[in-house]
């Protein structure tokens, strides 16, 4: 049987590069599109070095229709995994139009092009942020959706667009239907166990794990823990941290499930990708110290605007329908983060 070819938008980024690695290991042909606005080509060079396999890279923007046409004409693509997007919450509040243009318009151009080439199998990167401030935890996929910032709104709007797209086909018996998986990631952390690829944020990190790692390596003096008066076990925020390699594997399982559908069986389904366990900020600091032997200096600071007390997944739908579960524990997340950070203190630079 001919090997399937997967187009990965944003494939040079943090989650994209780990997913490209898993795709190559699983025997897929991989074509990456990335404008390198938040990533380095070196990540993909290293993916090829680790796997001893090659992928095809096209530098360009998903909003550029001519560019997309060229890529879609050149390769026989079976499915698309769509990671490309801007993801910084704070920046999205300062530059909402840049976020709407990049994320929403980009997805429109991509899906229009897919439709023109009759490629209608899609896995989309959404986020637990679409649950807003959930009424309770764990969160299941049928919880109410809302957004508290422009970044979150782009994910919510794109989800709605994809649901409309799948719905429209159900009323149109002539064309083959869209098969879409929306993956709602909880908090991806960690790095590939080789220590060669990992998260490489620009400037001072916004997210907890890269911040802790940069304190450990001496790039930042201390961690500020945003809030110690939340209604949680120790007062600090609780999240569902998931190893990026587990997350990457979730994309392969989502693809398999879409490929296994009958040709006429379309639809759009969202899945939570998380571990199902909530961990507090203080517990994260302790787990990092224990796993790596590195001391993390910290101070308590006021709550960060827009933060919620607790957010963790009920991941049972992905277990049932995608045959996917997270496998790596907190210790592995910490050790792999440290291997990457200590071996690459300046990231890919
Ligand atoms: P990332 O920034 O490392 O990767 C995104 C990639 O997309 C980058 O390589 C960037 O250069 C590229 N890109 C951005 N806009 C583009 C465009 N218009 N055309 C072509 N390439 C473009 O981010 P990531 O952490 O790997 O996240 C991947 C996806 O997952 C994003 O859509 C993000 O919103 C989503 N997500 C991430 C997290 C997280 O914590 N990392 C959580 C939930 C959802
Ligand atoms: C953040 C985004 C969210 C996005 C997710 C994954 C915000 C408000 N939310 O979520 O939209 O989907 O990343 O990319 O940015 N913390 C500290 N000190 C720090 C950094 C974080 O105490 O320096 C705390 C936070 O208050 C939170 C926890 O650590 O309780 C995790 O924070 P973070 O890694 O930024 O992820 P989220 O806030 O869950």
């Amino acid at each position: 049987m001919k090997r399937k070819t997967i187009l990965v938008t944003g494939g040079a980024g943090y989650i994209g590069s780990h997913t490209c690695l898993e795709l190559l290991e699983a025997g897929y042909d991989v074509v990456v599109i990335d404008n390198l606005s938040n990533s380095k080509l070196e990540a993909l060079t290293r993916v090829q070095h680790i796997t001893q396999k090659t992928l095809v890279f096209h530098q360009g923007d998903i909003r550029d229709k001519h560019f997309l046409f060229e890529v879609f004409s050149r390769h026989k693509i079976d499915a698309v995994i769509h990671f490309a997007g801007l993801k910084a919450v704070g920046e999205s509040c300062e530059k909402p139009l840049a976020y709407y243009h990049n994320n929403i318009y980009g997805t429109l151009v991509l899906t229009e092009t897919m439709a023109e080439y009759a490629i209608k199998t899609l896995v989309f990167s959404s986020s637990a942020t679409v649950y807003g401030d959930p009424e309770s935890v764990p969160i299941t996929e049928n919880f109410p959706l809302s957004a508290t910032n422009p970044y979150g709104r782009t994910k919510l709007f794109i989800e709605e667009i994809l649901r409309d797209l799948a719905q429209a086909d159900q009323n149109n018996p002539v064309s083959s239907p869209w098969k879409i998986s929306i993956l709602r990631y909880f908090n991806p952390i960690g790095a590939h166990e080789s220590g060669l690829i990992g998260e490489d944020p620009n400037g001072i990190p916004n997210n907890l794990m890269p911040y802790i790692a940069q304190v450990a390596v001496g790039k930042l003096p201390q961690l500020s823990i945003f809030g110690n008066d939340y209604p949680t076990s120790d007062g600090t925020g609780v999240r569902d941290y998931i190893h990026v390699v587990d997350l990457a594997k979730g994309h392969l399982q989502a693809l398999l499930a879409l490929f296994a559908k009958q040709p006429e069986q379309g639809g759009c389904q969202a899945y939570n990708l998380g571990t199902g366990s909530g961990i507090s900020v203080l517990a994260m600091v302790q787990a990092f110290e224990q796993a790596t032997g590195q001391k993390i200096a910290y101070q308590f600071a006021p709550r960060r605007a827009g933060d919620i007390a607790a957010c963790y997944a009920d991941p049972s739908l992905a277990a049932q329908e995608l045959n996917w579960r997270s496998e790596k524990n907190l210790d592995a997340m910490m050790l792999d983060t440290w291997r990457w950070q200590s071996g690459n203190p300046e990231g890919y630079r």
Side-chain angles (χ1 to χ4, degrees):
M1 211 170 78
K2 187 199 164 289
R3 292 213 304 232
K4 285 200 161 34
T5 300
I6 313 301
L7 176 71
V8 183
T9 75
Y14 172 46
I15 306 170
S17 56
H18 287 82
T19 303
C20 287
L21 190 154
E22 296 300 326
L23 287 167
L24 289 173
E25 298 277 28
Y28 289 100
D29 287 332
V30 176
V31 176
V32 172
I33 289 179
D34 202 301
N35 64 4
L36 301 181
S37 60
N38 195 39
S39 53
K40 299 275 185 303
L41 192 51
E42 175 66 13
L44 293 177
T45 305
R46 294 189 187 186
V47 164
Q48 295 176 92
H49 171 77
I50 297 164
T51 57
Q52 291 295 299
K53 292 181 177 170
T54 54
L55 52 74
V56 178
F57 175 71
H58 294 286
Q59 183 169 351
D61 198 295
I62 55 165
R63 291 166 292 181
D64 180 346
K65 196 148 195 171
H66 293 294
F67 165 69
L68 285 192
F69 266 71
E70 220 177 282
V71 173
F72 277 79
S73 306
R74 217 186 281 181
H75 305 279
K76 212 202 137 306
I77 291 158
D78 294 287
V80 176
I81 305 181
H82 177 30
F83 292 106
L86 301 176
K87 63 164 185 177
V89 172
E91 186 185 59
S92 81
C93 298
E94 290 155 23
K95 303 178 185 166
L97 293 182
Y99 273 68
Y100 290 127
H101 199 265
N102 197 82
N103 295 5
I104 297 180
Y105 178 65
T107 302
L108 289 179
V109 177
L110 176 69
T111 46
E112 281 164 12
T113 310
M114 288 176 68
E116 283 173 53
Y117 281 82
I119 297 155
K120 296 171 112 182
T121 304
L122 173 67
V123 176
F124 171 65
S125 301
S126 188
S127 166
T129 195
V130 299
Y131 295 115
D133 192 351
E135 250 171 41
S136 60
V137 278
I139 301 168
T140 57
E141 287 80 356
N142 53 14
F143 268 38
L145 304 181
S146 68
T148 53
N149 57 69
Y151 164 71
R153 241 172 320 270
T154 67
K155 293 295 177 193
L156 202 52
F157 288 164
I158 294 168
E159 283 204 6
E160 299 291 7
I161 290 167
L162 297 180
R163 280 188 276 275
D164 286 344
L165 205 49
Q167 180 65 38
D169 269 350
Q170 289 188 359
N171 309 326
N172 174 4
V174 181
S175 72
S176 72
W178 280 91
K179 300 171 194 229
I180 303 174
S181 267
I182 290 173
L183 304 182
R184 295 180 181 148
Y185 312 153
F186 281 68
N187 290 57
I189 62 168
H192 187 256
E193 63 180 8
S194 63
L196 292 176
I197 59 170
E199 189 170 11
D200 182 17
N202 281 325
I204 296 179
N206 297 312
N207 298 115
L208 179 65
M209 197 67 240
Y211 206 106
I212 290 178
Q214 293 198 13
V215 171
V217 84
K219 284 182 78 177
L220 294 168
Q222 66 175 347
L223 171 72
S224 291
I225 296 183
F226 300 140
N228 60 352
D229 56 352
Y230 284 108
T232 58
S233 58
D234 61 21
T236 65
V238 164
R239 297 290 184 274
D240 185 340
Y241 298 93
I242 174 165
H243 197 296
V244 66
V245 171
D246 279 338
L247 191 71
K249 288 180 175 164
H251 294 74
L252 274 70
Q253 291 307 108
L255 276 181
L256 283 179
L258 294 176
F259 287 143
K261 287 183 170 218
Q262 296 301 318
E264 70 286 355
Q265 211 189 347
C268 176
Q269 179 63 52
Y271 297 98
N272 287 339
L273 295 190
T275 65
S277 297
I279 315 277
S280 76
V281 178
L282 271 177
M284 287 292 283
V285 170
Q286 279 156 13
F288 185 85
E289 290 183 338
Q290 237 162 40
T292 66
Q294 304 296 313
K295 201 88 198 113
I296 301 300
Y298 68 83
Q299 62 176 8
F300 290 113
R303 291 182 179 192
R304 180 172 65 179
D307 271 1
I308 57 178
C311 173
Y312 55 92
D314 176 340
S316 49
L317 190 66
Q320 280 162 31
E321 295 192 2
L322 305 182
N323 191 23
W324 173 89
R325 280 170 197 80
S326 67
E327 286 170 354
K328 291 178 179 279
N329 62 20
L330 202 54
D331 227 34
M333 298 185 213
M334 298 303 169
L335 282 171
D336 291 339
T337 299
W338 181 234
R339 194 175 300 112
W340 156 251
Q341 183 69 62
S342 54
N344 306 266
E346 300 303 325
Y348 292 112
R349 279 161 287 272

